[in-house]
Amino acid sequence: MKIVIIGFGGMGGFHSRLLRQYAQTNPQYPLELAGIYDIDPARAKAAEEQGIRAYTSAEEVFSDDQVDAVLIATPNDVHAEYVFAAAKAGKHIICEKPVAMSTAQAEKMYDAAEKAGVLFEVHQNRRWDDDFLTAMQVAAQGKIGDVYKIESRVVGANGIPGAWRKEKAHGGGMMLDWGVHLIDQMLQFVKSPVSSLYCEYSYIYGEEVEDGCELSVLFENGVRYKILIATDCFRKLPRWQLYGVEGTATIVDWDLSGGMTRVVERHDKNLVGIRAGNGFTKTMAQRSDSSVEELPLPVTHAQPFAFYKNFAAAAQGKEAPAIRREEVLRVFRLMEAAQQSAQNNEVIKIRI
């Protein structure tokens, strides 16, 4: 199965490296990089210097009978035109996230792919992040009891990345950059309809698009889930914090450092009060060692190249696609509700 990458920038280059590694290790479900296409001649030249064929036009890609699939890694606002063209040409499609600029546009793209009978998957690769899988395992194994609140954060201090990602017309902003990933993770994590949400956007850098956001979601099963995306934070904050009725878990970073603290004695008979500022507290004092147990994280690793393997297998009809239409559209509906909340400074009560 031969695939061409359309757009040979940062993500396109990332995919080219991974696809070549994948081809060497997964003969059962082959997926071979056949070339790239980019509107920038310099990027085409860079590909050729790496021994990768550079197509001269998108039309050349779509008319090549040897090409089975395309991977679209262009700026967000041109995803749709390439998806429509690829579907018309009968090519299977991987598209970088966010797949579209709106729910309505995403629906049209899926309709076109389904009408053409081609496989169409969005590269929601962070479903296979080890930190996310570990967080879900913390909840699943139950050692901190039922989890009732989850905090998911990604923070940096480098501003909005890239030139076009700062422009609204190209689908810029951190909600479409990182929010789409963290919301997808959230909806995979909590198996319940959304009941309400509140969102705030940040414009610290003065760009026309948001440089960060805070999203708080309440699910019908009572779980509260908070997402923080910041590009102006100069101190590391925990990647994950999970609150259970019997303990708390922290995943510090993508390196999977952290741990769990589990209650073994609900009433802490050895609790000692502490000086707190100008006052005294037992309520906020650290629990005594005899009342809690420190546990390691149940570190969970993803299968290497899981997304590519699923795509190749699904194209052969041997597996169901991992990233389904209804899941992608649900993420878009939630992002649009979050945008409405941020614009109007209001809690949105909506069942998603």
Side-chain angles (χ1 to χ4, degrees):
M1 184 175 175
K2 295 186 177 182
I3 188 167
V4 171
I5 297 172
I6 298 177
F8 196 58
M11 284 306 301
F14 171 79
H15 281 292
S16 73
R17 294 188 294 274
L18 286 189
L19 282 168
R20 282 177 286 179
Q21 294 172 19
Y22 174 85
Q24 296 171 2
T25 56
N26 292 274
Q28 183 181 7
Y29 297 118
L31 193 59
E32 177 186 342
L33 179 61
I36 67 97
Y37 166 64
D38 197 289
I39 61 173
D40 186 347
R43 290 180 178 174
K45 182 180 179 182
E48 290 176 331
E49 290 173 349
Q50 297 176 38
I52 303 170
R53 176 181 175 180
Y55 284 78
T56 58
S57 68
E59 291 73 22
E60 184 183 11
V61 175
F62 296 134
S63 63
D64 188 344
D65 292 338
Q66 298 301 308
V67 175
D68 304 296
V70 295
L71 191 158
I72 300 166
T74 63
N76 300 333
D77 59 314
V78 292
H79 286 174
E81 64 182 77
Y82 286 119
V83 167
F84 292 140
K88 185 177 180 181
K91 312 297 186 187
H92 298 304
I93 306 161
I94 295 172
C95 187
E96 263 303 324
K97 59 78 202 170
V99 67
M101 300 284 280
S102 67
T103 302
Q105 187 180 59
E107 288 178 327
K108 291 177 182 178
M109 294 160 75
Y110 273 102
D111 287 344
E114 290 172 7
K115 183 178 179 181
V118 300
L119 175 62
F120 177 33
E121 283 203 80
V122 182
H123 188 233
Q124 285 288 13
N125 55 309
R126 294 196 175 277
R127 290 191 188 182
W128 292 276
D129 280 2
D130 289 350
D131 62 286
F132 169 59
L133 297 177
T134 298
M136 288 207 301
Q137 184 60 23
V138 168
Q141 74 174 193
K143 289 187 177 179
I144 63 170
D146 291 338
V147 172
Y148 62 88
K149 185 168 72 172
I150 302 165
E151 296 172 356
S152 169
R153 305 178 188 86
V154 288
V155 300
N158 303 300
I160 303 172
W164 65 263
R165 287 183 173 86
K166 299 178 181 179
E167 299 175 3
K168 189 173 183 179
H170 293 302
M174 296 310 296
M175 177 58 82
L176 288 178
D177 190 11
W178 267 99
V180 65
H181 276 312
L182 301 191
I183 290 171
D184 183 66
Q185 288 182 342
M186 175 178 68
L187 296 181
Q188 293 298 306
F189 201 145
V190 184
K191 301 299 184 183
S192 173
V194 169
S195 174
S196 65
L197 60 87
Y198 177 73
C199 187
E200 294 179 343
Y201 281 5
S202 167
Y203 294 90
I204 300 300
Y205 292 105
E207 304 289 351
E208 64 179 18
V209 296
E210 74 284 352
D211 49 54
C213 60
E214 293 186 54
L215 173 65
S216 180
V217 177
L218 175 63
F219 288 87
E220 288 185 358
N221 65 0
V223 172
R224 292 186 179 274
Y225 199 114
K226 294 187 177 183
I227 290 172
L228 170 66
I229 302 165
T231 58
D232 60 343
C233 182
F234 291 83
R235 296 281 294 182
K236 183 182 291 187
L237 299 177
R239 172 69 185 89
W240 294 91
Q241 192 89 348
L242 287 84
Y243 300 83
V245 295
E246 300 295 335
T248 308
T250 302
I251 302 173
V252 177
D253 208 344
W254 286 293
D255 63 4
L256 305 180
S257 56
M260 300 189 295
T261 301
R262 184 170 71 91
V263 173
V264 295
E265 184 181 83
R266 178 57 66 180
H267 175 68
D268 186 357
K269 59 181 180 295
N270 296 315
L271 181 65
V272 177
I274 60 170
R275 176 73 181 269
N278 276 325
F280 172 85
T281 182
K282 278 191 174 182
T283 304
M284 299 304 168
Q286 194 71 28
R287 300 273 304 209
S288 67
D289 291 342
S290 63
S291 70
V292 294
E293 179 184 15
E294 298 299 322
L295 301 170
L297 292 170
V299 171
T300 307
H301 295 290
Q303 181 186 46
F305 305 110
F307 176 84
Y308 294 140
K309 190 174 294 184
N310 171 257
F311 180 80
Q316 296 179 27
K318 296 181 179 179
E319 289 184 11
I323 314 295
R324 296 177 294 162
R325 171 180 178 149
E326 57 270 25
E327 295 170 339
V328 172
L329 295 179
R330 189 179 178 211
V331 171
F332 267 91
R333 286 193 290 271
L334 200 147
M335 286 196 298
E336 290 173 348
Q339 182 182 35
Q340 179 186 344
S341 173
Q343 288 176 343
N344 299 333
N345 189 28
E346 64 178 349
V347 173
I348 303 295
K349 295 185 177 180
I350 185 172
R351 195 173 197 268
I352 301 176

